[in-house]
């Protein structure tokens, strides 16, 4: 199997234009999101948060796609990316199609009113999914070690028996270096 690793400059050559496009898209859709929020009677001092919420949720979900391992979790995160991007674009389209005299329906006002709570809940859930993926393996490892100490080491020491255990070092190397691709030097 051939694996191609792009050079540092190769990554920069792709990443720099991608960031420029992303920043331009955020700026372009932010105006529409702001105007739609204002038209729905959101105070202007708060309306500027709506584009940040929408585009921020897309960024959180996109970042989560790189941390989530399960296929269903990846699909969920990508759906959130697409949904947030679609809502951002839809707000811009509604504003551009309506012009300065934006007439807001009750459904649109309801959606605008509910959006911060929905986005906050989804962002929190994505964060929880990422944290569980990062924290639970360490918690399981710590629980396994605690159980080994309680069931094997302490009873042996209570009987005045010598205890030599390499379980912790070997499992750390196997779990972190092999399973999580952390260098062995950092594990020891």
């Amino acid at each position: 199997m051939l694996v191609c690793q792009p050079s540092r400059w190769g990554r920069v050559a792709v990443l720099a234009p991608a960031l420029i496009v992303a920043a331009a898209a955020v700026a372009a859709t932010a105006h529409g999101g702001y105007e739609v929020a204002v038209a729905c009677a959101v105070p202007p001092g708060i309306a500027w948060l709506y584009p940040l919420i929408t585009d921020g949720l897309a960024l959180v979900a996109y970042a989560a796609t790189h941390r989530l391992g399960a296929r269903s979790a990846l699909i969920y995160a990508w759906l959130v990316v697409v949904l947030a991007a679609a809502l951002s674009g839809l707000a811009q389209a509604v504003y551009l199609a309506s012009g300065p005299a934006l007439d807001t329906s009750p459904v649109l006002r309801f959606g605008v009113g509910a959006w911060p709570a929905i986005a906050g809940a989804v962002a929190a859930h994505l964060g929880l999914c990422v944290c569980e993926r990062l924290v639970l393996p360490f918690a399981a490892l710590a629980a396994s070690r605690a159980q080994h100490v309680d069931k094997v080491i302490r009873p042996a020491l209570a009987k005045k028996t010598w205890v030599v255990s390499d379980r912790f070092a070997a499992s750390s190397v196997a779990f972190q270096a092999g399973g999580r691709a952390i260098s062995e030097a950092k594990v020891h």
Side-chain angles (χ1 to χ4, degrees):
M1 179 166 134
L2 178 64
V3 177
C4 180
Q5 291 290 331
S7 69
R8 178 179 181 180
W9 290 110
R11 288 190 299 269
V12 169
V14 171
L15 185 59
L19 289 175
I20 291 168
V21 169
V26 166
T29 59
H31 180 251
Y34 171 81
E35 292 295 340
V36 169
V38 168
C40 289
V42 174
I46 296 173
W48 68 271
L49 292 172
Y50 279 74
L52 291 178
I53 292 167
T54 306
D55 295 331
L57 178 60
L59 292 174
V60 167
Y62 181 73
T65 64
H66 292 285
R67 293 286 182 203
L68 298 173
R71 182 164 168 75
S72 60
L74 284 172
I75 292 170
Y76 164 60
W78 274 112
L79 286 173
V80 172
V81 170
V82 171
L83 172 71
L87 287 174
S88 185
L90 181 63
Q92 179 70 1
V94 164
Y95 173 70
L96 292 175
S98 300
L102 181 60
D103 184 26
T104 58
S105 70
V107 172
L108 181 60
R109 287 194 303 276
F110 177 80
V112 167
W115 178 238
I118 293 167
V122 171
H125 187 253
L126 282 168
L128 177 64
C129 290
V130 170
C131 288
E132 283 180 347
R133 167 110 161 72
L134 298 176
V135 173
L136 285 180
F138 290 109
L141 183 63
S144 172
R145 290 179 177 187
Q147 182 182 25
H148 184 67
V149 169
D150 287 344
K151 302 290 182 188
V152 177
I153 296 175
R154 281 199 182 116
L157 291 175
K159 294 178 186 174
K160 307 288 185 206
T161 304
W162 284 56
V163 175
V164 177
S165 176
D166 66 349
R167 175 180 175 180
F168 298 152
S171 66
S172 290
V173 171
F175 179 74
Q176 294 180 23
R180 297 185 61 81
I182 298 172
S183 72
E184 280 194 50
K186 288 184 179 178
V187 174
H188 293 294

